[in-house]
Amino acid sequence: MKLLFRPLRPEWLSLCIALLFTALFNVPFWQRMLTILSPIDAHGVKMLGLAFLLVTAFLNLLLLLLIWPKIGKPLLAFLLLTTAGVTYFMSQYGVLIDMNMVRNAMQTDGAEVRDLLTLKMALTVLLLGGVPTWWLFRTPLQFRKPLAEIGVRVLALALSAGVLVAVALVGYQDFASLFRNHRELRFALTPTNYLQATTSYVERLTAKPKVLQRIGEDARRNNGWPQGSKPRVLVLVVGETARADHFSLNGYARPTNPQLAKIPGLINYPDAWSCGTETAISVPCMFSSLPRSKFDAEEAKSRENLLDVLARAGIKVSWRDNNSGCKEVCNRTPSEMVFGDKNPAFCSDGECFDDILLDGLPERLKALRQDAVIVLHQKGSHGPAYYKRYPPQFERFTPVCRTSELQKCSREDIINGFDNTILYTDAFLARVISTLQAAPEVAGSMLYLSDHGESLGENNLYLHAAPYLIAPDAQKHIPMLAWFSPQWQQASGMTQSCLQASSKKAYSQDNIFHSTLGLMGVQTALYEPPLDMFAACRQR
């Protein structure tokens, strides 16, 4: 026992912690390396050995800069405990850590956080982070006199740098190729991944606020809507985490869309794609006038969006949210955040089913005297607690995974729970349409699309928010649907045959800004007809 807690010099403590990080905290990193290098031959063994030296020397170099009297142990304890938590999420869900993932975590609501806090997580942090932290504070740390300490520290830093240079000389071409072709590896290396990502996020968050950039100041209504026609109302449903390939409308073998399949005039878009792989990116992006290739989530906060342009043109705009908020899209729009509601008809345990979004909708439609866009932001299929996202009567596919620790469940049970959420979304969207059909005071329409998709265990990857360039199609291929009442079609000159024919083309969230402006008859220099999904079918 005395040997375990014998006094250590700072350079040896640094090396011990660096080896601990490399060997135990970076299991997800080594799993990815093994997958990339598989099948492992002599060259693969050499690469793994050099990579171990490279990572250890790099982390040792960083830690040597932190270990000083009074601050060294607290900083190391913070890194150990935080990295243990990050390692758990990476191992449990197969996620990678970049700035967008940090943003996504910071904007997660309380209910989602509760779903992620599990006994397994607590045990992982306790064992992986807590035990080394306990050892750290039990172990005496011996510092030299200041000048001697600095001299030894410089020597240790030089030695670590020398190992880095030596590894680079031996394996430069191999590592250059490896990291060039597999950039995701840097998002898997802890603790540097989340430290770098958090730093970037904080820098953007604390940057000097920019003056709000106004757009579409020339927006006005055209004369395409016949005089005397009923007010047009577009209900824009922003879904959550739904996959296109789990909609039976898109050929999925299970009947996940029984109600929507029976609705005459429903238009399905089987080739639709998201702007991002997490809500914090996709939602602001789909309402932006900028395409995905030019979109920046931080800049979007200081730039007006679709809702502002619609309101400027005289359209009544509102936002109703059962998710974690509008990601600043509705900052200047009348909005209701209902996800914390206490209504027992829809809510329990701090969460609400999406039907709460439709509570009072018939009355609002009846009271409308002008054109309107109503945005409904679903909780949808948000994981990992899929079993909480639908009322009991929608649990048709069983057995269901009833834990947030998805790796405890079979993939079939996970998919069962997810498919039940799609079944509930099917009923919810059908109810939106029936509510519009039952409102003779307006000419109604509905446009639905999910913000992004979801991984369900393919290649041991769960949930979403993978970096877009390497994210699987499951996180980017989204369901999208539209429905127009006979009154709307008649007033706009659209025909069902034209709408169905145009639905076979490829679309993305880049189309939403222009398509909505076109549907609501808004003229502005920002409007690009080629990006309007319905322009070719609209006669006026």
Side-chain angles (χ1 to χ4, degrees):
M1 187 62 69
K2 289 183 179 180
L3 185 63
L4 183 63
F5 300 110
R6 68 177 183 178
L8 284 178
R9 294 291 189 183
E11 62 273 13
W12 289 109
L13 176 62
S14 172
L15 182 59
C16 288
I17 301 296
L19 285 168
L20 187 66
F21 277 137
T22 303
L24 294 184
F25 287 76
N26 273 295
V27 170
F29 175 84
W30 297 114
Q31 287 174 333
R32 288 182 180 273
M33 281 283 291
L34 287 169
T35 300
I36 292 168
L37 297 174
S38 187
I40 302 298
D41 54 13
H43 181 262
V45 172
K46 172 190 170 184
M47 285 286 290
L48 288 171
L50 288 175
F52 191 92
L53 284 174
L54 185 71
V55 171
T56 303
F58 175 66
L59 293 178
N60 188 53
L61 191 150
L62 294 180
L63 294 173
L64 282 167
L65 300 174
L66 300 180
I67 304 176
W68 299 100
K70 296 184 179 180
I71 64 169
K73 285 189 175 183
L75 286 175
L76 290 179
F78 172 79
L79 283 177
L80 286 166
L81 293 170
T82 306
T83 309
V86 171
T87 300
Y88 165 80
F89 283 107
M90 291 178 64
S91 300
Q92 184 74 10
Y93 301 113
V95 299
L96 297 169
I97 309 298
D98 63 356
M99 189 190 71
N100 291 329
M101 179 63 79
V102 171
R103 180 195 289 112
N104 198 43
M106 294 299 182
Q107 296 183 7
T108 297
D109 64 26
E112 293 171 6
V113 170
R114 287 196 300 273
D115 289 341
L116 294 170
L117 298 178
T118 64
L119 178 61
K120 183 177 180 180
M121 176 190 172
L123 290 174
T124 300
V125 173
L126 179 64
L127 294 175
L128 191 60
V131 171
T133 299
W134 171 75
W135 170 81
L136 173 68
F137 281 102
R138 287 286 307 273
T139 301
L141 193 54
Q142 293 183 337
F143 289 94
R144 303 171 182 85
K145 291 182 179 180
L147 287 179
E149 185 65 48
I150 291 173
V152 173
R153 194 70 59 90
V154 169
L155 184 62
L157 287 168
L159 184 60
S160 292
V163 173
L164 289 175
V165 172
V167 172
L169 290 174
V170 173
Y172 173 77
Q173 299 229 352
D174 288 329
F175 282 113
S177 175
L178 177 70
F179 288 107
R180 183 173 59 249
N181 295 320
H182 300 278
R183 296 181 181 181
E184 72 273 15
L185 283 172
R186 66 188 180 96
F187 300 129
L189 183 65
T190 60
T192 55
N193 54 359
Y194 73 86
L195 292 175
Q196 183 179 22
T198 303
T199 300
S200 298
Y201 175 74
V202 171
E203 285 177 353
R204 293 200 175 198
L205 193 66
T206 57
K208 184 179 178 181
K210 297 180 181 178
V211 176
L212 181 66
Q213 182 181 350
R214 292 168 65 89
I215 64 171
E217 293 190 273
D218 60 338
R220 61 184 178 84
R221 310 294 296 281
N222 62 30
N223 298 318
W225 201 250
Q227 272 192 329
S229 298
K230 298 174 181 179
R232 66 187 118 178
V233 177
L234 170 64
V235 177
L236 177 53
V237 181
V238 178
E240 171 67 46
T241 320
R243 284 172 57 151
D245 62 352
H246 280 246
F247 269 50
S248 56
L249 291 172
N250 291 323
Y252 188 49
R254 280 180 163 176
T256 51
N257 301 129
Q259 297 192 42
L260 289 174
K262 297 175 183 178
I263 295 178
L266 186 76
I267 303 109
N268 177 48
Y269 299 88
D271 195 6
W273 299 83
S274 69
C275 181
T277 61
E278 70 266 37
T279 307
I281 296 295
S282 287
V283 169
C285 186
M286 74 171 75
F287 286 90
S288 172
S289 62
L290 301 176
R292 190 188 74 82
S293 59
K294 297 180 180 178
F295 177 78
D296 181 273
E298 299 305 319
E299 291 184 8
K301 295 177 182 179
S302 58
R303 179 185 173 90
E304 289 185 335
N305 57 60
L306 173 62
L307 304 184
D308 300 294
V309 178
L310 291 170
R312 184 166 293 128
I315 294 168
K316 186 178 178 62
V317 182
S318 63
W319 184 289
R320 192 168 169 86
D321 202 296
N322 189 37
N323 204 300
S324 55
C326 67
K327 311 307 176 189
E328 304 197 37
V329 171
C330 65
N331 282 0
R332 297 164 295 279
T333 299
S335 55
E336 298 175 90
M337 303 295 154
V338 300
F339 44 81
D341 202 286
K342 306 296 184 183
N343 189 332
F346 308 105
C347 311
S348 63
D349 299 325
E351 296 188 46
C352 301
F353 295 126
D354 283 330
D355 275 337
I356 195 172
L357 294 171
L358 305 183
D359 188 34
L361 181 58
E363 293 76 16
R364 280 178 281 161
L365 293 175
K366 187 175 182 179
L368 281 173
R369 297 294 181 267
Q370 67 186 98
D371 291 355
V373 172
I374 301 171
V375 183
L376 304 178
H377 189 194
Q378 284 184 277
K379 188 75 168 183
S381 304
H382 200 291
Y386 305 117
Y387 66 100
K388 293 183 178 181
R389 305 293 172 248
Y390 53 86
Q393 64 267 31
F394 289 91
E395 191 160 287
R396 184 174 304 176
F397 306 111
T398 57
V400 166
C401 178
R402 296 192 176 279
T403 174
S404 295
E405 298 176 45
L406 297 181
Q407 290 186 339
K408 283 186 174 180
C409 301
S410 68
R411 187 155 179 262
E412 291 74 16
D413 291 1
I414 295 170
I415 291 173
N416 286 341
F418 182 83
D419 285 350
N420 288 330
T421 69
I422 302 298
L423 190 67
Y424 178 48
T425 289
D426 170 80
F428 172 80
L429 296 177
R431 190 178 166 201
V432 172
I433 294 172
S434 66
T435 303
L436 290 169
Q437 289 173 324
E441 303 84 5
V442 301
S445 67
M446 183 197 76
L447 178 61
Y448 161 81
L449 72 163
S450 184
D451 59 349
H452 53 76
E454 183 88 328
S455 288
L456 297 172
E458 301 92 344
N459 299 314
N460 203 37
L461 185 62
Y462 298 89
L463 305 181
H464 51 270
Y468 197 88
L469 289 177
I470 62 171
D473 286 352
Q475 295 189 26
K476 298 183 288 188
H477 187 197
I478 57 173
M480 185 159 67
L481 307 166
W483 174 86
F484 299 94
S485 66
Q487 299 95 322
W488 186 299
Q489 292 194 35
Q490 182 179 1
S492 64
M494 294 193 298
T495 64
Q496 193 65 31
S497 59
C498 181
L499 290 169
Q500 292 291 357
S502 65
S503 69
K504 309 308 177 188
K505 299 178 183 177
Y507 296 104
S508 76
Q509 291 174 345
D510 288 350
N511 295 102
I512 300 305
F513 182 90
H514 307 279
S515 300
T516 305
L517 291 180
L519 287 174
M520 301 307 297
V522 177
Q523 288 184 333
T524 169
L526 292 171
Y527 171 68
E528 298 181 36
L531 291 175
D532 182 347
M533 299 160 54
F534 313 105
C537 297
R538 197 169 49 247
Q539 302 303 311
R540 50 184 178 269

